[in-house]
Structures are given as C-alpha cells and as structure tokens.
Amino acid sequence: MNRENLKTAKRIVIKIGTSSLILDNGKINLKNIDELAFTLSSLQHEGYEIILVTSGAIGVGLNVLGMTRRPSEIAQQQALAAIGQVELISLYNQIFGRYQQKVSQLLLTNDVIAFPESRKNATEALNAILGLGIIPIINENDAVSVDEMDHRTKFGDNDRLGAIVTTISDADLLIMLSDIDGLYDKNPTIFDDAQLIDSVSEITDTLMKSAGGAGSRFGTGGMTSKLEAAKIIFDANKQMVLTNGARIFEIRDIISAKKKGTYFGQ
Ligand SMILES: Nc1ncnc2c1ncn2[C@@H]1O[C@H](COP(=O)(O)OP(=O)(O)O)[C@@H](O)[C@H]1O
Ligand SMILES: N[C@@H](CCC(=O)OP(=O)(O)O)C(=O)O
C-alpha cells in the first residue's frame, strides 16, 4: 500500500486527542472543534462514511469544574470523565448541528470488543448508525472502565481505541490528529534537528525507541501509543495517517494522497 490508496478510502475513522481539543490554558479549543465539525460533516454529506473517536472527557471535565490539574485518584478521574463527557458530546451535537449533521454517542469498554458476540453487536450498531447517515462519536467509557488483573475493561488509551474501531468497523483508513505534524525520527520537543518521516511500512524496534511520551499535560500515551496503534492497523492490513490537529482542513489533502503527516501502510 502507498499514499495513492488513500484516494479510494470511503469509510474513515478520525481520532482526535485531548491536546487538539483543549488549549494550554485549559479552555476548549473551539476553533479546532468547529473545523472538525465542518470538515467531517461536509465529507459525510459528500458520501464518505465518517466515524469520530474522541478523547477529551477528562480535559473538558477539568474545564467544567475550573480545575487545572488531573487528580491522581481513580474515582476522581472517573467522576471528571463522567462530567466532561456530557459537555463534550453536547458541544459536538451543537456544532455538528450547525452543519446539518446528526451525531450519536458510543462509549465502549475493552470487554465489549474482546467477546465475539458483543463485538459483533458493536459492529452492527456502527453499521446501522452509518447507514442512517449519522456520525458515530466514540470514546472509552472512562467512568466505569477498570484495569484489574482479572477484570480488565480499559483500552489503555484512545490511540488503541481508534485502531480497534478501525478494525471492527472495517474502515479503510484511520486519521490520527495529534499536536504534532507526524512521526519524527526522534522526539522533536527535545531534538531541534528531528526530521519528519513521510511514510512507515513496518514498526521496527528502532522506530519504537525513537518515540517518546506525551507532549502536553493533557496527552496520555505520547508517540509510543500511536506506534502501538499502528501495529494494530498493520496487523489488520489497514492504513493510517498521523497528522496535526491544528490543521484539520488538511484531512482533504490527505484523502487526495498529498504528502501531509506520516503515512503508515504496508
Ligand atoms: N518521535 C516522535 N515524533 C513525534 N512526536 C513525538 C516523538 N516522540 C515523542 N513525541 C511526543 O508525542 C506527542 C504527541 O502525543 P500526545 O501528547 O499523547 O498527544 P495526543 O493528545 O494528540 O494523543 C508530541 O507532541 C511529542 O511531544
Ligand atoms: N478517554 C480519555 C482520553 C484517553 C486518551 O488516550 O487521551 P489522548 O492521549 O488525549 O488521546 C478522555 O476522554 O479523557
């Protein structure tokens, strides 16, 4: 596969990270959310099938309560996610509505995907929503997911969730929107001479070593979790583009196979 394959993508999953949804001062990034709603709604109207995987429940929850730091206690984080998710989906509903696009909400946990019956159910629900011309907006059900040894229902992070949603929906492409232009040969927030990588066909150990942790105080997994997601994409013989959530209009360039971000395809 190469970038030319992007021109044939019809069902597309977009994953947007917290760093693209929340400004450094903790306020909501309305510019990005508006551009996202306009771009995704217009693509959907033109016949693409769009699925949005969104982070931001905890970030928006902090904003709602006027807090600046993520609490360390799990119950507090879950409470914040429950509070923030309502606000987040309500914002999406309002702003997509402005572009005549209806949205729906799916909150998933890993067990839903792990069991074949519930996985099939989730896939069928997604297909039905898309069949109605509605954009599914998906996040992890953070308020109830747990990470116990014998009862693990957490996905870990939304990069992984984005890759899993791409596989269960049999989408043609995952576009991952982050706070950086793509994958660099070393962490660009540390090394000034880091070079943007145009395309990746295999996740090697060297590549994994070049990836560092999260860049902002809101991001969770950093580049490592994006490369882990790319492994899931490769295993499912799918493709992914990692690009900057600050220039959402470039999604159109990406699906026209223009050189934007980093392309992952085998
Ligand atoms: N090799 C690398 N290439 C690009 N970014 C990297 C690399 N290694 C570490 N990073 C860091 O990963 C960050 C993106 O991940 P993250 O903060 O989790 O964002 P998001 O909220 O979009 O998921 C970048 O801002 C950067 O600081
Ligand atoms: N599900 C969590 C986000 C988890 C996550 O992976 O966040 P990010 O690294 O910003 O994509 C939330 O909505 O706050």
Side-chain angles (χ1 to χ4, degrees):
M1 272 199 270
N2 58 46
R3 279 189 191 261
E4 279 302 299
N5 282 75
L6 296 170
K7 289 183 180 164
T8 58
K10 182 167 187 282
R11 184 172 284 193
I12 303 171
V13 177
I14 318 286
K15 184 264 164 176
I16 188 159
T18 310
S19 56
S20 304
L21 296 166
I22 307 288
L23 296 164
D24 285 342
N25 64 11
K27 294 205 190 298
I28 311 287
N29 192 329
L30 291 173
K31 172 192 165 283
N32 278 359
I33 297 183
D34 190 56
E35 279 183 23
L36 183 72
F38 172 74
T39 305
L40 301 193
S41 301
S42 54
L43 288 171
Q44 179 88 8
H45 292 189
E46 289 161 32
Y48 290 93
E49 292 180 319
I50 302 292
I51 300 172
L52 176 61
V53 173
T54 187
S55 301
I58 293 181
V60 173
L62 289 171
N63 172 272
V64 169
L65 297 183
M67 290 164 68
T68 49
R69 265 176 205 292
R70 197 182 164 116
S72 53
E73 204 192 315
I74 300 290
Q76 292 295 323
Q77 290 182 18
Q78 293 189 302
L80 271 176
I83 295 159
Q85 181 65 31
V86 178
E87 186 68 19
L88 179 64
I89 204 74
S90 146
L91 254 177
Y92 279 134
N93 195 35
Q94 270 179 50
I95 304 183
F96 277 82
R98 196 181 295 157
Y99 300 111
Q100 276 79 50
Q101 181 57 52
K102 290 197 169 32
V103 296
S104 56
Q105 172 177 251
L106 279 93
L107 297 177
L108 297 176
T109 43
N110 196 39
D111 49 330
V112 171
I113 305 303
F115 292 99
E117 271 306 302
S118 49
R119 181 187 174 111
K120 183 166 166 274
N121 248 1
T123 300
E124 286 173 0
L126 268 174
N127 285 334
I129 295 166
L130 291 168
L132 293 166
I134 293 173
I135 296 184
I137 301 187
I138 304 178
N139 195 358
E140 175 157 3
N141 195 351
D142 295 305
V144 297
S145 58
V146 291
D147 202 5
E148 304 294 328
M149 290 294 276
D150 57 344
H151 187 62
R152 174 165 288 183
T153 66
K154 259 188 118 34
F155 284 103
D157 62 76
N158 274 14
D159 295 328
R160 194 170 125 76
L161 176 61
I164 289 171
V165 167
T166 307
T167 63
I168 66 160
S169 63
D170 196 20
D172 305 305
L173 166 67
L174 169 62
I175 299 180
M176 206 174 268
L177 300 171
S178 185
D179 61 350
I180 196 107
D181 286 355
L183 173 68
Y184 286 76
D185 57 356
K186 44 193 158 184
N187 190 341
T189 52
I190 300 175
F191 300 98
D192 287 344
D193 61 341
Q195 300 285 321
L196 183 65
I197 300 174
D198 172 58
S199 118
V200 171
S201 59
E202 193 189 354
I203 308 299
T204 59
D205 288 348
T206 320
L207 213 56
M208 283 309 289
K209 281 189 198 119
S210 70
S216 70
R217 70 195 159 100
F218 295 117
T220 54
M223 204 42 59
T224 312
S225 75
K226 290 174 202 344
L227 294 187
E228 292 292 348
K231 283 186 187 167
I232 298 174
I233 290 292
F234 281 151
D235 285 348
N237 202 23
K238 307 252 171 232
Q239 50 188 347
M240 169 175 125
V241 176
L242 172 63
T243 191
N244 202 321
R247 294 189 300 277
I248 288 166
F249 292 138
E250 284 184 4
I251 288 177
R252 282 191 179 274
D253 292 333
I254 288 169
I255 56 180
S256 310
K258 297 214 174 93
K259 280 199 170 194
K260 301 280 173 180
T262 302
Y263 173 76
F264 294 79
Q266 274 169 332

